Amino acid sequence: MKRNEKKRLLPIFEHAEIDKRQFAAPLKWFHKPHGLKERNDLYHEKALQYSIGAIRSCLSNEELLEQHISPASIDHILFVSSTGISTPTLDAYIMNELGFRESTTRTPLFGLGCAGGTSGVARAYEWLLGNPEKNVLVVCVELCSLTFQPDDSSVSNFVGTALFGDGASAVLITGDNSQLLKQRTGAVPAILNSNSRTKRHSVDVMGWKVVDSGFEVIFNKSIPRLVKEFWSLHAEEVVHQNGWTIDEFPLLIAHPGGRKVLEGYEEVFKLKEGVLEIPKQILANHGNMSSPTVHFVLHEAMNKHLEKGTRTIMTSLGPGFSSEIVSLEWM
């Protein structure tokens, strides 16, 4: 890359409004080239470690649970990840490490990118409609930093490098007749419905290009425009079908894909001050961790101990170009 071109692109980092991020590898790791196998081996090791940590944290959360929950109480693991490859998928390794029952259902979801956190919650909700006495654990892990390509001079690589961080999350979702509902300590969000949209002929908007050295990121400059033209119509439709208005939301459980995405949310609905405070904080403190990011937002919202009757939506955008929305009400 020419020096003047690099100088033109460096402000992307300054404008990202990200103060800190966590990476799976030390900074010196990024100074050397790495092939797909080396990257994937590290993904397997670290993603398994972080997933187990997230699950333990979720099932022993003393703020939200009366007592610790055993992995044996989980009937279904929904495992979401798009930054590495494993067959069997990592949920099989997780089951061995943590002592899940052999009868636990496994559903790995790959390729959803940033939409994966909300999509995983939606698919768990839909499964529980037919299994109301059971419990699902949605686990997301993404090691976006391991996809960094030092020789890729594209604008997409600069944007991804400025935005991406690594993270893992776990969300426990119970059916309406689950015995685990007795373990909650206060009001928690109930899922009222889920809704998905995939825009036709938009597969080139975001995703990965698989090359010999790993994954090259694809980010199209049309993403902020699609937030305004595609996501806004989807969100408006869901809210209207619920009989709600966006004005009543005290906060939005929104995946903070980046500064321009957050600005798009604010612009299309003229959101009042504070509605996107948590997504902005998560972006500033962790960067865009892809699928787990929206769960970090949800976690902070739940720590606010919102009153019963509080309504909002969980929303994420991802490859496809897709929009996932889950309607929530604290009960």
Side-chain angles (χ1 to χ4, degrees), residues 96-126:
N96 291 333
E97 292 284 342
L98 294 181
F100 285 82
R101 303 191 322 269
E102 289 187 347
S103 59
T104 304
T105 301
R106 295 167 45 222
T107 302
L109 300 176
F110 179 83
L112 296 171
C114 294
T118 301
S119 183
V121 169
R123 302 296 85 77
Y125 159 73
E126 291 158 5

Coordinates of all heavy atoms in Angstrom, one line a residue, residues 96-126:
N96 N -18.1 -32.4 26.8 CA -17.1 -33.3 27.5 C -16.5 -32.6 28.6 O -16.3 -33.2 29.7 CB -16.1 -33.8 26.5 CG -16.6 -34.8 25.5 OD1 -17.6 -35.5 25.7 ND2 -16.0 -34.8 24.3
E97 N -16.1 -31.4 28.5 CA -15.4 -30.6 29.5 C -16.3 -30.3 30.7 O -15.8 -30.3 31.9 CB -14.9 -29.3 28.9 CG -13.7 -29.5 27.9 CD -12.4 -29.8 28.5 OE1 -12.2 -29.6 29.8 OE2 -11.5 -30.3 27.8
L98 N -17.6 -30.0 30.5 CA -18.4 -29.5 31.6 C -19.5 -30.5 32.1 O -20.2 -30.2 33.0 CB -19.1 -28.2 31.1 CG -18.2 -27.0 30.9 CD1 -19.0 -25.8 30.4 CD2 -17.4 -26.7 32.1
G99 N -19.5 -31.7 31.5 CA -20.4 -32.7 32.0 C -21.8 -32.6 31.6 O -22.7 -32.9 32.4
F100 N -22.1 -32.1 30.4 CA -23.5 -32.1 29.9 C -24.0 -33.5 29.7 O -23.2 -34.4 29.5 CB -23.6 -31.3 28.6 CG -23.5 -29.8 28.8 CD1 -22.3 -29.2 28.9 CD2 -24.6 -29.1 28.8 CE1 -22.2 -27.8 29.0 CE2 -24.6 -27.7 28.9 CZ -23.3 -27.1 29.0
R101 N -25.3 -33.7 29.8 CA -25.9 -35.0 29.6 C -25.6 -35.5 28.1 O -25.6 -34.6 27.2 CB -27.4 -35.0 29.8 CG -27.8 -34.6 31.2 CD -29.3 -34.9 31.4 NE -30.1 -34.6 30.2 CZ -30.7 -33.5 29.9 NH1 -30.6 -32.4 30.7 NH2 -31.5 -33.4 28.9
E102 N -25.5 -36.8 27.9 CA -25.3 -37.3 26.6 C -26.5 -37.0 25.7 O -26.4 -37.0 24.5 CB -25.0 -38.8 26.6 CG -23.6 -39.1 27.2 CD -23.3 -40.6 27.0 OE1 -24.2 -41.4 26.7 OE2 -22.1 -41.0 27.2
S103 N -27.7 -36.8 26.3 CA -28.9 -36.6 25.6 C -29.1 -35.1 25.2 O -30.1 -34.8 24.6 CB -30.1 -37.1 26.4 OG -30.2 -36.4 27.6
T104 N -28.2 -34.3 25.5 CA -28.3 -32.8 25.2 C -28.3 -32.7 23.7 O -27.4 -33.2 23.0 CB -27.1 -32.0 25.8 OG1 -27.1 -32.3 27.2 CG2 -27.3 -30.5 25.6
T105 N -29.2 -31.9 23.2 CA -29.3 -31.6 21.7 C -28.2 -30.6 21.4 O -28.0 -29.6 22.1 CB -30.7 -31.1 21.3 OG1 -31.6 -32.1 21.7 CG2 -30.7 -30.8 19.9
R106 N -27.6 -30.7 20.2 CA -26.6 -29.8 19.8 C -27.0 -29.2 18.4 O -27.4 -29.9 17.5 CB -25.2 -30.5 19.6 CG -24.6 -31.0 20.8 CD -23.4 -31.9 20.5 NE -22.5 -31.3 19.4 CZ -22.0 -32.0 18.4 NH1 -22.3 -33.3 18.2 NH2 -21.3 -31.4 17.5
T107 N -26.9 -27.8 18.3 CA -27.2 -27.2 17.1 C -26.1 -26.1 16.8 O -26.2 -25.0 17.4 CB -28.6 -26.5 17.1 OG1 -29.6 -27.5 17.3 CG2 -28.8 -25.8 15.7
P108 N -25.1 -26.4 16.0 CA -24.1 -25.4 15.7 C -24.6 -24.6 14.6 O -25.2 -25.0 13.6 CB -22.9 -26.3 15.3 CG -23.5 -27.6 14.8 CD -24.8 -27.8 15.5
L109 N -24.3 -23.3 14.7 CA -24.7 -22.3 13.7 C -23.4 -21.6 13.2 O -22.8 -20.9 14.0 CB -25.7 -21.3 14.2 CG -27.0 -21.8 14.7 CD1 -27.9 -20.7 15.3 CD2 -27.8 -22.5 13.6
F110 N -23.1 -21.6 11.9 CA -21.9 -21.0 11.3 C -22.3 -20.0 10.2 O -23.3 -20.2 9.5 CB -21.0 -22.1 10.7 CG -19.8 -21.5 10.1 CD1 -18.7 -21.2 10.8 CD2 -19.7 -21.3 8.7 CE1 -17.5 -20.7 10.3 CE2 -18.6 -20.8 8.1 CZ -17.5 -20.5 8.9
G111 N -21.6 -19.0 10.1 CA -21.7 -18.0 9.0 C -22.7 -16.9 9.2 O -23.0 -16.1 8.3
L112 N -23.2 -16.8 10.4 CA -24.2 -15.7 10.7 C -23.5 -14.4 11.1 O -24.1 -13.3 11.1 CB -25.1 -16.1 11.9 CG -26.0 -17.3 11.5 CD1 -26.7 -17.7 12.8 CD2 -27.0 -16.9 10.5
G113 N -22.2 -14.4 11.4 CA -21.5 -13.2 11.7 C -22.1 -12.4 12.8 O -22.5 -13.0 13.8
C114 N -22.2 -11.1 12.7 CA -22.7 -10.3 13.7 C -24.2 -10.5 14.1 O -24.6 -10.2 15.2 CB -22.5 -8.8 13.4 SG -20.8 -8.2 13.2
A115 N -24.9 -11.1 13.2 CA -26.3 -11.4 13.4 C -26.5 -12.6 14.3 O -27.6 -12.9 14.8 CB -27.0 -11.7 12.1
G116 N -25.4 -13.4 14.6 CA -25.5 -14.7 15.3 C -26.0 -14.6 16.7 O -26.7 -15.5 17.1
G117 N -25.7 -13.6 17.4 CA -26.2 -13.5 18.8 C -27.7 -13.4 18.9 O -28.3 -14.1 19.7
T118 N -28.3 -12.5 18.1 CA -29.7 -12.4 18.1 C -30.4 -13.6 17.4 O -31.4 -14.1 17.9 CB -30.2 -11.1 17.4 OG1 -29.6 -10.0 18.1 CG2 -31.7 -11.0 17.5
S119 N -29.8 -14.1 16.4 CA -30.3 -15.3 15.7 C -30.3 -16.5 16.6 O -31.3 -17.3 16.6 CB -29.5 -15.6 14.4 OG -30.0 -16.7 13.7
G120 N -29.3 -16.7 17.4 CA -29.2 -17.8 18.3 C -30.3 -17.8 19.3 O -31.0 -18.8 19.6
V121 N -30.6 -16.6 19.9 CA -31.7 -16.4 20.8 C -33.0 -16.7 20.2 O -33.9 -17.3 20.7 CB -31.6 -15.0 21.4 CG1 -32.9 -14.7 22.2 CG2 -30.4 -14.8 22.3
A122 N -33.2 -16.2 18.9 CA -34.4 -16.5 18.2 C -34.7 -17.9 18.0 O -35.8 -18.5 18.1 CB -34.4 -15.7 16.9
R123 N -33.6 -18.7 17.5 CA -33.8 -20.1 17.2 C -34.0 -20.9 18.6 O -34.8 -21.8 18.5 CB -32.5 -20.6 16.6 CG -32.1 -20.0 15.3 CD -33.1 -20.1 14.1 NE -34.2 -19.1 14.1 CZ -34.0 -17.9 13.7 NH1 -32.9 -17.4 13.3 NH2 -35.1 -17.1 13.8
A124 N -33.4 -20.4 19.6 CA -33.7 -21.1 20.9 C -35.2 -20.9 21.3 O -35.8 -21.8 21.8 CB -32.8 -20.5 22.0
Y125 N -35.7 -19.7 21.2 CA -37.1 -19.3 21.5 C -38.0 -20.2 20.7 O -39.0 -20.8 21.2 CB -37.3 -17.9 21.2 CG -38.8 -17.5 21.1 CD1 -39.6 -17.4 22.1 CD2 -39.2 -17.2 19.8 CE1 -41.0 -17.1 21.9 CE2 -40.6 -16.8 19.6 CZ -41.4 -16.8 20.7 OH -42.8 -16.5 20.5
E126 N -37.7 -20.3 19.4 CA -38.6 -21.1 18.5 C -38.6 -22.6 18.9 O -39.6 -23.3 18.9 CB -38.2 -20.9 17.1 CG -38.5 -19.5 16.6 CD -37.6 -19.1 15.4 OE1 -36.9 -19.9 14.8 OE2 -37.7 -17.9 15.0

